[in-house]
Amino acid sequence: ACLDIILVCTTIFANFRQRKQIFKEMPNMTEEQKDVVILHTPIWSWLDVFDLIFRGINIGFCIWHWNMYPAPTTDSNGNSIGNYEAVVKDILDLEWSDPHVTTEEKVDTFMGMVLSLNDSLRSEDFHRMMGKMMVLVFFMRVVIYMRVHPKIAVLYATLVEMYMDFVHFCVVFFSLFAVLAYLGMWSFGDQKADFRDFGTAMYTQFRMLVGEFNMDTGEEAGFDVMWGLWCVTYFLMVFSLLLNFFLAIVVDSYANVKEAVQTCKVENDVVWDICTTFVYPILALLEGLPQRGKLINALLRADLDQDQKNDDDGDQDIPVSAELLDTFGIVKGKKQSLLFVKYYHRVCPATDFGFEDGASELEHKALMRAAVALDGVRHAVLGEKILETPVQAVEVSLDTVHHEVKKEILDVKNMLGEAEVSRQREMEGLLAKLGGNETIARRIARPSVGMSGVTVDDSFLQEMRTQAEQERSAMQRQLDVVMQLLEDSGRQEQ
């Protein structure tokens, strides 16, 4: 507790020095700008005040506990006895047969010892109750401590998210809960022991809320109109509606917090981040890397893209490379800059420009992404794309087949159109020669022969479509085989 008080005081003093340094660097600030600085550089928070008060109470409780349970004493026989054992021993050793002491004095002495023992027992009960309260406060403080990392701050963040809705819910819940408890006491207090007074009725309703409906059985069982009406009202309003309202508030708040945690890309699991928290100061000391606070301030002040604007004002992300860190003097030396970039890319992959989170990605998709990334390296070094060639070839072949099938179908349609035009012209000539006898002209004309002399019918079109579908299916099977080979290769590597 003393170390915690020293730590909190040190933190408050450091925050005070930081604010004072900012005012010293910029003495010409306006009142509005000073208000912004004060707002974003708080000297203490409500948690700091709570810690100081709680640690003080904790120290006082420890002193009280020390006085409540002193070291054991030794009796005349050399036996070790505790504080209460000594009081009981004095009561038992009272000389009732001493003729020199009157009975009234003996009774007064005995009652004084008993009252002293009773006061000691009451003090111990209060001491134990305060100890339980201290443990509960420690429990709450542990929950608040969990906010140091987003992945374990889900409980604390959910409580903060649901705070206002929960307060409004409590107003409605306890109002209806108290009314129903009073109604039960007024209606059944003289019949049912569970509703004999208001406090007992509240406790009975709480037991019913957790599922313990203590309904009458045996000879006492039976239907009563008022009791049935009260049970139905309590079940519908409290057990069914209000309880589910509370669950809905919790679930909605948790969903919002979970979405915010998933949006945060820079955090890894808590064990990894704790380890890196202690590793970086050692690495910075050995390799001459900047401290985290100085690094953040330097990045915020530097104009990396040289557009004479604050880099934080724009929506576009600016990649930070080892060359830029060395050029702007954020990290001293090219070797240290390269080491710094490699360290953060390894510790936190999300700092890589163009990072994509693959936490919910399927296994074969992750293997395919890794294979394509390795293939990109091979292409950059060797000038070839080994993995993508079969896939691209299949896709190109499929596109070629689709184009050829469409072209053949279009040619057939054009041929049919030309054949129909030729047939109409032939019909007109025959009608002119036969003097308008249309029946004889239709028998002479050949509807299935075009100008080119090639017979065109539906069976030819169906054959062309079937051939195109077969070629397309074959190409699709080739593509599936390539994808399956990639997945099998990934499983073998695992």
Side-chain angles (χ1 to χ4, degrees):
C2 295
L3 292 177
D4 287 338
I5 292 178
I6 295 174
L7 179 61
V8 172
C9 293
T10 303
T11 304
I12 293 175
F13 180 72
N15 294 335
F16 174 76
R17 287 191 59 188
Q18 180 185 7
R19 180 188 291 184
K20 185 177 180 181
Q21 182 67 25
I22 293 175
F23 280 106
K24 185 177 180 181
E25 292 178 357
M26 298 176 289
N28 299 324
M29 289 187 296
T30 62
E31 293 298 327
E32 183 179 357
Q33 293 171 343
K34 290 180 180 179
D35 292 338
V36 173
V37 172
I38 294 174
L39 178 63
H40 292 89
T41 56
I43 297 178
W44 62 73
S45 64
W46 68 270
L47 282 177
D48 296 331
V49 178
F50 172 79
D51 277 336
L52 288 175
I53 297 175
F54 179 64
R55 302 309 179 193
I57 295 175
N58 190 16
I59 293 174
F61 180 81
C62 291
I63 297 174
W64 182 24
H65 185 79
W66 181 273
N67 294 327
M68 282 287 297
Y69 299 98
T73 59
T74 305
D75 59 4
S76 58
N77 297 326
N79 298 322
S80 177
I81 58 175
N83 188 26
Y84 293 103
E85 292 177 345
V87 176
V88 173
K89 186 177 182 300
D90 291 338
I91 294 175
L92 296 177
D93 293 342
L94 183 62
E95 295 292 340
W96 293 95
S97 60
D98 189 358
H100 302 289
V101 181
T102 62
T103 303
E104 184 179 357
E105 293 177 351
K106 293 176 183 179
V107 172
D108 291 341
T109 304
F110 175 77
M111 293 305 298
M113 291 180 179
V114 172
L115 292 176
S116 176
L117 179 61
N118 188 34
D119 292 340
S120 299
L121 291 176
R122 287 183 178 179
S123 177
E124 174 150 359
D125 288 339
F126 181 72
H127 178 77
R128 289 180 176 273
M129 185 186 67
M130 292 300 296
K132 295 174 185 177
M133 298 299 296
M134 295 288 292
V135 174
L136 288 177
V137 175
F138 272 117
F139 174 79
M140 295 172 55
R141 195 65 185 93
V142 169
V143 174
I144 298 175
Y145 275 141
M146 294 298 177
R147 69 191 180 97
V148 298
H149 195 278
K151 298 296 178 66
I152 61 174
V154 177
L155 176 59
Y156 174 78
T158 302
L159 293 176
V160 174
E161 179 74 16
M162 63 177 285
Y163 167 73
M164 192 55 63
D165 292 334
F166 180 71
V167 170
H168 297 156
F169 167 80
C170 287
V171 173
V172 178
F173 177 82
F174 286 109
S175 298
L176 297 180
F177 199 78
V179 170
L180 288 174
Y182 185 80
L183 178 61
M185 180 195 68
W186 181 266
S187 302
F188 322 113
D190 57 341
Q191 304 171 14
K192 300 179 182 297
D194 291 338
F195 293 90
R196 60 181 178 269
D197 53 45
F198 184 74
T200 306
M202 293 282 286
Y203 177 65
T204 300
Q205 288 188 161
F206 173 77
R207 290 165 53 194
M208 297 172 68
L209 187 64
V210 296
E212 187 179 347
F213 283 83
N214 191 16
M215 309 296 289
D216 293 333
T217 58
E219 296 180 356
E220 299 178 354
F223 179 75
D224 182 70
V225 176
M226 290 301 299
W227 171 246
L229 181 61
W230 184 91
C231 288
V232 171
T233 303
Y234 178 84
F235 179 81
L236 293 178
M237 295 300 298
V238 178
F239 193 81
S240 297
L241 292 179
L242 292 178
L243 184 60
N244 284 283
F245 286 170
F246 173 72
L247 295 177
I249 292 173
V250 175
V251 171
D252 290 343
S253 301
Y254 173 78
N256 295 335
V257 172
K258 190 67 176 179
E259 182 179 0
V261 171
Q262 292 178 349
T263 304
C264 183
K265 304 295 184 182
V266 296
E267 300 291 348
N268 297 299
D269 61 273
V270 60
V271 178
W272 177 257
D273 284 343
I274 289 176
C275 294
T276 56
T277 300
F278 292 100
V279 168
Y280 182 79
I282 299 175
L283 183 65
L285 182 63
L286 296 177
E287 301 293 339
L289 300 179
Q291 298 179 359
R292 293 190 179 96
K294 295 181 179 179
L295 175 65
I296 293 174
N297 292 330
L299 287 174
L300 291 175
R301 295 174 182 176
D303 185 11
L304 299 179
D305 55 358
Q306 294 295 300
D307 58 353
Q308 304 304 320
K309 296 181 181 179
N310 191 352
D311 294 340
D312 300 324
D313 294 339
D315 297 332
Q316 185 179 2
D317 294 332
I318 301 174
V320 179
S321 61
E323 291 78 6
L324 287 177
L325 294 176
D326 181 47
T327 301
F328 285 88
I330 300 175
V331 180
K332 304 298 183 181
K334 294 183 179 179
K335 180 181 178 181
Q336 285 76 7
S337 300
L338 185 60
L339 176 64
F340 176 83
V341 172
K342 286 183 177 180
Y343 170 79
Y344 266 98
H345 282 185
R346 185 175 301 173
V347 168
C348 183
T351 57
D352 190 8
F353 195 77
F355 168 78
E356 294 182 1
D357 188 11
S360 59
E361 192 176 22
L362 297 178
E363 187 67 21
H364 71 282
K365 293 289 186 181
L367 294 173
M368 185 62 188
R369 181 167 54 83
V372 172
L374 294 176
D375 180 69
V377 176
R378 293 191 185 96
H379 175 70
V381 177
L382 304 177
E384 58 182 3
K385 291 189 176 182
I386 301 174
L387 293 178
E388 294 185 358
T389 300
V391 179
Q392 289 183 348
V394 173
E395 293 178 352
V396 172
S397 300
L398 285 174
D399 293 338
T400 304
V401 171
H402 295 165
H403 179 71
E404 292 178 356
V405 171
K406 290 180 180 179
K407 183 178 180 182
E408 291 181 0
I409 293 174
L410 183 62
D411 292 341
V412 170
K413 289 182 178 179
N414 293 334
M415 189 182 298
L416 288 174
E418 294 175 358
E420 184 64 24
V421 173
S422 176
R423 180 175 175 276
Q424 292 292 337
R425 291 178 180 176
E426 188 176 356
M427 283 287 297
E428 292 175 359
L430 290 174
L431 286 173
K433 292 179 181 180
L434 297 176
N437 194 336
E438 186 176 352
T439 303
I440 299 176
R442 288 183 180 278
R443 291 179 180 178
I444 296 175
R446 296 177 297 173
S448 61
V449 179
M451 294 180 64
S452 60
V454 180
T455 301
V456 180
D457 53 13
D458 293 338
S459 61
F460 174 75
L461 284 174
Q462 186 63 30
E463 182 180 357
M464 292 293 296
R465 293 192 185 98
T466 303
Q467 182 180 358
E469 290 295 334
Q470 291 176 352
E471 293 181 357
R472 180 189 176 119
S473 299
M475 294 300 177
Q476 186 64 41
R477 285 194 296 271
Q478 284 184 332
L479 181 60
D480 294 339
V481 169
V482 173
M483 295 298 294
Q484 186 64 38
L485 289 175
L486 289 174
E487 293 183 9
D488 294 340
S489 175
R491 295 192 186 97
Q492 290 178 359
E493 290 179 359
Q494 288 185 340

mmCIF file of all heavy atoms in Angstrom, residues 151 256 390 452 489:
data_model
loop_
_atom_site.group_PDB
_atom_site.id
_atom_site.type_symbol
_atom_site.label_atom_id
_atom_site.label_comp_id
_atom_site.label_asym_id
_atom_site.label_seq_id
_atom_site.Cartn_x
_atom_site.Cartn_y
_atom_site.Cartn_z
ATOM 1 N N LYS A 151 -7.653 -6.219 -24.869
ATOM 2 C CA LYS A 151 -8.143 -7.594 -24.954
ATOM 3 C C LYS A 151 -8.696 -8.102 -23.625
ATOM 4 O O LYS A 151 -9.514 -9.024 -23.610
ATOM 5 C CB LYS A 151 -7.008 -8.515 -25.429
ATOM 6 C CG LYS A 151 -6.495 -8.176 -26.822
ATOM 7 C CD LYS A 151 -7.583 -8.375 -27.872
ATOM 8 C CE LYS A 151 -7.090 -7.980 -29.266
ATOM 9 N NZ LYS A 151 -6.031 -8.839 -29.765
ATOM 10 N N ASN A 256 -20.872 -3.831 -28.708
ATOM 11 C CA ASN A 256 -20.193 -2.590 -29.086
ATOM 12 C C ASN A 256 -18.721 -2.611 -28.671
ATOM 13 O O ASN A 256 -17.835 -2.200 -29.433
ATOM 14 C CB ASN A 256 -20.896 -1.396 -28.447
ATOM 15 C CG ASN A 256 -22.311 -1.203 -28.970
ATOM 16 O OD1 ASN A 256 -22.626 -1.621 -30.084
ATOM 17 N ND2 ASN A 256 -23.166 -0.599 -28.170
ATOM 18 N N PRO A 390 -0.172 -21.502 -63.705
ATOM 19 C CA PRO A 390 -1.249 -22.427 -64.058
ATOM 20 C C PRO A 390 -2.628 -21.811 -63.863
ATOM 21 O O PRO A 390 -3.515 -22.004 -64.680
ATOM 22 C CB PRO A 390 -1.026 -23.603 -63.091
ATOM 23 C CG PRO A 390 0.370 -23.472 -62.634
ATOM 24 C CD PRO A 390 0.670 -22.030 -62.629
ATOM 25 N N SER A 452 -25.578 -19.768 -98.735
ATOM 26 C CA SER A 452 -24.291 -20.447 -98.821
ATOM 27 C C SER A 452 -24.433 -21.922 -99.096
ATOM 28 O O SER A 452 -23.436 -22.618 -99.247
ATOM 29 C CB SER A 452 -23.528 -20.259 -97.500
ATOM 30 O OG SER A 452 -24.286 -20.821 -96.438
ATOM 31 N N SER A 489 -0.697 -28.864 -50.524
ATOM 32 C CA SER A 489 0.689 -28.464 -50.236
ATOM 33 C C SER A 489 0.767 -27.754 -48.881
ATOM 34 O O SER A 489 1.672 -27.961 -48.094
ATOM 35 C CB SER A 489 1.197 -27.543 -51.338
ATOM 36 O OG SER A 489 2.479 -27.061 -51.030
#
